[in-house]
Amino acid sequence: MSASRTRLCSDGPEFSRLVMGTWRLVDDPVLSSQEILSLVEECVDLGITTFDEADIYGNYSSEESFGKALNLNSSIKHKIEVITKCGIKLISDKRPSHKVKHYDTTRSHIISSVENSLKVMGVDHIDLLLIHRPDPLMNPDEIAEAFSLLNDHGKVFHFGVSNFTVRQFELLQSRLSMPLVTNQIELSLLYRDLMLDGSVDYLMQLKKSPMAWSPFGGGGLFHRDTENEELHRVLDELSKKYDDAGYDQLALAWLYHHPASIFPILGTKKIERVRAAVESEDIHITREEWYKLWVAAGGLIP
Ligand code: NAP
């Protein structure tokens, strides 16, 4: 049992189809460096080699914790791909100069953010750098300069965006000398809007895969509340058909069924849940079941 691998697009990086997110890595229960390393090693054994970081995760501490873990077994660095993000400035004791939460996509901020990410993670390059959120003050020419410089110096291999609209994606791409390889967006049974507003369609038109963050709605999928009642009823029904598949596995199968070749990003720290996620690649729901879940989750069929 191993996660499959594929390219985000023809001129993009090859990643594991399932990506391991690190946003919650430093949340309680706090893992030691050895525990993080074990998680990384077990993921690699399962074929999950791609890790999704951001400068701001864990109040600017996740990249450092990840880097400390990797340093316990430096050879693992050659077996993984690292994604990180920049462009958000949080108010934080780690960044006393930030007085206001804001976006910063200036050339100097992008470059200094990447240099810090490389340093704290102890890696010599970033496989994919994403602009974390659209910045109303985005100057695409400045971003283009920063991306070219980082690429020329071998510090970043590929570039993309996150949470961008189609127009924002087009604007930035129009000034770049390299392709934007993905848009990392929120996509799940619980958040379907971007399957209808053109975001996913546009990526399909470009033959680029979306990366899906919060594929289980940040854990909301598992909450036993009235809002989820009908969805849980259908999930229970499908679970019986698909060998007692878990809600997580069926939610991933639902994303996989979409023709956009979505790359889900996992948010769990529990290896048994990662293993279940890998197994979900073998669950092939039908078109009717896909729509049954869509409607049960609150989606409309006009
Ligand atoms: P998620 O998978 O939707 O939610 C993770 C939460 O669900 C965790 O609290 C996890 O708890 C729980 N969970 C997972 N499987 C479960 C199961 N079988 N039963 C019960 N609970 C379960 O993903 P996410 O953490 O919100 O996001 C995933 C990744 O996406 C992040 O790590 C980050 O890399 C990326 N992200 C990107 C953006 C962006 O703007 N680009 C925004 C948000 C997130 P346990 O740990 O207990 O399993």
Side-chain angles (χ1 to χ4, degrees), residues 96-109:
S97 66
H98 300 178
K99 303 295 180 218
V100 175
K101 179 182 176 186
H102 65 288
Y103 301 134
D104 189 344
T105 52
T106 56
R107 178 183 188 276
S108 62
H109 178 67

Side-chain angles (χ1 to χ4, degrees), residues 149-207:
L149 204 125
L150 291 166
N151 195 233
D152 290 348
H153 286 85
K155 293 181 178 176
V156 178
F157 291 175
H158 298 276
F159 299 86
V161 292
S162 182
N163 305 301
F164 270 43
T165 64
V166 170
R167 294 294 293 159
Q168 289 158 345
F169 190 109
E170 284 177 330
L171 169 61
L172 181 54
Q173 183 61 81
S174 72
R175 309 299 169 88
L176 297 178
S177 55
M178 69 281 286
L180 289 172
V181 298
T182 191
N183 190 5
Q184 186 181 115
I185 50 182
E186 183 174 10
L187 282 178
S188 72
L189 263 171
L190 297 193
Y191 189 73
R192 305 164 306 277
D193 295 16
L194 304 184
M195 287 185 181
L196 291 174
D197 79 343
S199 300
V200 171
D201 311 69
Y202 179 63
L203 290 169
M204 286 181 75
Q205 185 186 332
L206 300 178
K207 298 194 170 156

Side-chain angles (χ1 to χ4, degrees), residues 23-24 52 57 162-163 184 213-214 216 218 268 270 273:
W23 181 31
R24 299 173 197 270
D52 183 68
Y57 285 174
S162 182
N163 305 301
Q184 186 181 115
W213 60 260
S214 293
F216 308 144
T268 184
K270 301 194 167 88
R273 290 181 176 170

Side-chain angles (χ1 to χ4, degrees), residues 8 11 13 41 45 47 52 55 57 59 65 67-68 87 89 91 98 100 116 122 131 137 163 192 201 236 275 285 293:
L8 275 172
D11 43 10
E41 289 173 336
D45 287 345
D52 183 68
D55 57 345
Y57 285 174
N59 186 26
S65 299
K68 277 186 185 155
K89 282 185 167 173
I91 299 174
H98 300 178
V100 175
N116 189 61
I131 299 293
L137 294 178
N163 305 301
R192 305 164 306 277
D201 311 69
D236 288 337
R275 201 169 291 121
I285 61 171
L293 286 166

